[in-house]
Amino acid sequence: MTHARHTDVRETIGEDHPTCQLRDILDRVGDKWSVLVMNLLGSGPKRYSELQRSIEGISQRMLTLTLRSLERDGLVERTVTPTSPPRVDYALTPVGQTLSVQVSGLIAWAEQHREYVAASRLRYDAP
Amino acid sequence: MTHARHTDVRETIGEDHPTCQLRDILDRVGDKWSVLVMNLLGSGPKRYSELQRSIEGISQRMLTLTLRSLERDGLVERTVTPTSPPRVDYALTPVGQTLSVQVSGLIAWAEQHREYVAASRLRYDAP
DNA sequence: CAGAATCCAACCGGATACTG
DNA sequence: CAGTATCCGGTTGGATTCTG
């Protein structure tokens, strides 16, 4: 399983300090593409190829890995229509939709504060 | 500047497709510790050592890099009291607080759905 | 069309040692 | 106390090639 390391649950390092388990879940949002995929699926089911076209710069490999990982976590459902060529649709599960609400908030924040952050960085890097 | 690569703004790859700039901002939440630090600061200013004790497993290096990066983005403010030994406090800026609201939502989600996700993974990994 | 497999560079972050 | 500097292994993810 090539992508084992990608989907591997990081052990909670022995102790069950809440922080560790938190990190585990937050990694879901932390990887490079999950948030973008979830956001797109938030507006309805999409085909594999639609996702690929919509997400600027994602590789086939990463799209597949990201979708598998979301599916594994019960956030995305995969539906195969065995025509030829095959058609595969991805949709959020009910729980996935509750996460996509959070994700939308995050994206909205990012859009609203993009300029502020950019300006802050410029000032910080000036000297 | 050792942590240049950590704070480097990923270029928006030429075109100004919204996705690229989005990724740039989302990386703020994507790294390993920022969300945890912001969440702690959400309940009020903290000293460097308090943060380090509160965040299970963070190294000195990563705490410093994370704080610098948040400061650079205008989300956290650093205040030095030049006593001996020195005392340094970190607090969210007004904009930082608006992000911490989103972060709280994310963390709440993670806590509410931890078991669901864990169960999904078990089922997925079974065969 | 929707992937799986392999290869490999870049990067992230931990451990350690040193400082004002 | 609150950092900085250096070294270095593991992981992430892009490019490419092949398939049902």
Side-chain angles (χ1 to χ4, degrees):
Chain A
M1 203 114 341
T2 308
H3 63 285
R5 67 167 193 280
H6 183 260
T7 51
D8 263 351
V9 179
R10 296 213 212 314
E11 312 297 318
T12 50
I13 327 175
E15 64 272 328
D16 44 25
H17 192 286
T19 306
C20 300
Q21 307 184 14
L22 248 190
R23 279 239 37 78
D24 185 39
I25 299 282
L26 289 176
D27 281 346
R28 157 67 32 252
V29 145
D31 68 10
K32 195 170 180 183
W33 303 108
S34 289
V35 166
L36 262 20
V37 169
M38 294 229 36
N39 190 45
L40 274 173
L41 293 180
S43 61
K46 302 272 180 299
R47 298 186 55 173
Y48 183 91
S49 48
E50 282 183 83
L51 292 171
Q52 185 162 26
R53 266 180 287 105
S54 302
I55 305 179
E56 181 87 4
I58 195 172
S59 64
Q60 247 175 6
R61 170 188 150 88
M62 286 317 296
L63 179 53
T64 300
L65 250 39
T66 301
L67 287 167
R68 289 284 177 283
S69 181
L70 290 169
E71 191 191 358
R72 186 172 100 109
D73 287 359
L75 302 172
V76 158
E77 188 184 21
R78 190 175 104 113
T79 310
V80 183
T81 310
T83 54
S84 177
R87 173 198 175 107
V88 183
D89 288 271
Y90 291 91
L92 294 178
T93 63
V95 172
Q97 290 184 29
T98 67
L99 177 54
S100 100
V101 171
Q102 302 300 324
V103 162
S104 298
L106 216 57
I107 291 190
W109 185 95
E111 280 163 355
Q112 280 168 33
H113 300 280
R114 172 157 50 220
E115 300 217 6
Y116 171 86
V117 170
S120 294
R121 289 178 181 175
L122 280 180
R123 242 179 301 114
Y124 189 93
D125 296 341
Chain B
M1 200 113 342
T2 308
H3 62 285
R5 67 169 192 280
H6 184 259
T7 51
D8 263 353
V9 179
R10 296 211 214 314
E11 312 296 318
T12 51
I13 328 174
E15 65 272 326
D16 44 25
H17 191 286
T19 306
C20 301
Q21 308 185 14
L22 249 189
R23 279 238 37 76
D24 185 40
I25 300 283
L26 289 177
D27 282 345
R28 159 67 32 252
V29 145
D31 69 10
K32 194 170 181 184
W33 303 108
S34 291
V35 165
L36 262 21
V37 170
M38 295 227 39
N39 189 47
L40 274 173
L41 293 180
S43 61
K46 301 272 179 301
R47 297 185 58 173
Y48 185 90
S49 47
E50 281 184 83
L51 292 171
Q52 186 163 26
R53 266 181 288 104
S54 303
I55 305 180
E56 180 88 5
I58 195 170
S59 62
Q60 244 173 8
R61 169 188 151 87
M62 285 318 296
L63 179 54
T64 299
L65 285 176
T66 302
L67 287 168
R68 289 284 177 280
S69 181
L70 289 169
E71 191 191 358
R72 185 171 101 108
D73 287 359
L75 302 172
V76 158
E77 188 184 20
R78 192 176 105 114
T79 310
V80 183
T81 310
T83 54
S84 176
R87 173 199 174 103
V88 183
D89 288 271
Y90 291 91
L92 294 179
T93 63
V95 171
Q97 290 184 30
T98 67
L99 178 54
S100 100
V101 171
Q102 301 301 324
V103 162
S104 299
L106 215 57
I107 291 189
W109 185 95
E111 280 162 355
Q112 280 169 32
H113 299 281
R114 173 158 48 223
E115 301 218 5
Y116 171 86
V117 171
S120 293
R121 288 178 180 176
L122 280 180
R123 243 179 300 114
Y124 189 93
D125 295 340

